[in-house]
């Protein structure tokens, strides 16, 4: 069955960097578009980045554009999110999710990893 | 950006009740709307996509509909496991955006 597992979260100081990973299994990772979402404590869901199957298309939310970079390694079945210049308002649980083919809805999600940005 | 206005923000209901949640986009999104359920401490789970298509494995008491540009999630005969927060999401254009959420609480 489809499994997505995020890792790499933790406590960092404002201005620091952090990289998140999402290990995929149970499906042909290279055939699916993927996204990252986040949810600040007690808040709603926010989409933050999207990458096509071969990484030829990427999108970012304005809130992270220029600071975050999405990438993927299809051979390793790994989705990544590199986050620079982290701010307190980046504190959230970060989820990776697998898109239903050809429509930007997400039928499979990882359990999430918590990123806390605090001095 | 397309803003998604979801209402109500919370609703109290009893087991067996029918609950209706509405989502109104700030511009036309055709039928590019999904509904998700999220329980505390868990990832969201897809219920409905393209307005009215039931995701595999989701109970048939969940249904989605569209009337003009407004979208509705209906939960018929509410079950104890349905107490959760529900979100709509548009996929008409980037950035993908969500409604603010509706918390379905036990009366």
């Amino acid at each position: 069955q489809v499994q997505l597992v995020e890792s790499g979260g933790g406590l960092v100081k404002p201005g620091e960097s952090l990289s998140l990973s999402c290990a995929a299994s149970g499906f042909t990772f290279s055939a699916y578009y993927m996204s990252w979402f986040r949810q600040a404590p007690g808040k709603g869901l926010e989409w933050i980045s999207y990458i096509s199957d071969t990484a030829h298309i990427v999108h970012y939310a304005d809130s992270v554009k220029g600071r975050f970079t999405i990438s993927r390694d299809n051979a390793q079945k790994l989705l990544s999110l590199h986050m620079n210049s982290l701010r307190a308002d980046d504190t959230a649980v970060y989820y990776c999710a697998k898109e239903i083919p050809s429509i930007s809805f997400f039928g499979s999600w990882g359990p999430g990893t918590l990123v806390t940005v605090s001095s | 950006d397309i803003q998604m206005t979801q209402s109500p923000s919370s609703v109290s209901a009893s087991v067996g009740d029918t609950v209706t949640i509405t989502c109104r986009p700030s511009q036309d999104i055709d039928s590019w709307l999904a509904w998700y359920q999220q329980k505390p401490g868990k990832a969201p789970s897809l219920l409905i996509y393209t307005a009215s298509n039931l995701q595999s494995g989701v109970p048939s008491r969940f249904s989605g509909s569209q009337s003009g540009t407004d979208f509705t999630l209906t939960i018929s005969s509410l079950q104890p496991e349905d107490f959760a927060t529900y979100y709509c999401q548009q996929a008409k254009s980037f950035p993908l955006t969500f409604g603010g959420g509706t918390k379905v609480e036990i009366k």
Side-chain angles (χ1 to χ4, degrees), chain A residues 94-118:
Chain A
Y94 285 72
Y95 299 101
C96 64
K98 168 181 166 283
E99 186 189 81
I100 296 176
S102 303
I103 54 176
S104 295
F105 301 127
F106 300 87
S108 299
W109 296 64
T113 188
L114 176 62
V115 173
T116 303
V117 184
S118 175

Side-chain angles (χ1 to χ4, degrees), chain A:
Chain A
Q1 73 281 20
V2 173
Q3 191 169 18
L4 298 168
V5 180
E6 304 90 345
S7 61
L11 174 62
V12 295
K13 292 180 170 56
E16 292 187 342
S17 300
L18 194 66
S19 286
L20 305 182
S21 295
C22 170
S25 60
F27 65 103
T28 306
F29 179 72
S30 60
Y32 287 87
Y33 290 28
M34 303 288 294
S35 268
W36 285 98
F37 297 82
R38 68 184 180 184
Q39 187 169 36
K43 302 298 184 182
L45 296 167
E46 180 188 14
W47 166 83
I48 56 173
S49 190
Y50 174 96
I51 188 166
S52 63
D53 51 356
T54 59
H56 63 290
I57 300 171
V58 294
H59 292 288
Y60 296 97
D62 285 347
S63 59
V64 306
K65 196 174 295 182
R67 300 187 301 123
F68 290 13
T69 302
I70 191 171
S71 62
R72 64 190 298 161
D73 183 333
N74 285 340
Q76 297 297 319
K77 299 182 181 180
L78 207 60
L79 177 71
S80 298
L81 185 70
H82 185 68
M83 305 182 292
N84 288 329
S85 303
L86 283 162
R87 312 185 300 224
D89 63 358
D90 293 318
T91 294
V93 174
Y94 285 72
Y95 299 101
C96 64
K98 168 181 166 283
E99 186 189 81
I100 296 176
S102 303
I103 54 176
S104 295
F105 301 127
F106 300 87
S108 299
W109 296 64
T113 188
L114 176 62
V115 173
T116 303
V117 184
S118 175
S119 54

Side-chain angles (χ1 to χ4, degrees), chain B residues 33 47 60 71:
Chain B
L33 185 108
L47 299 172
S60 59
F71 298 84

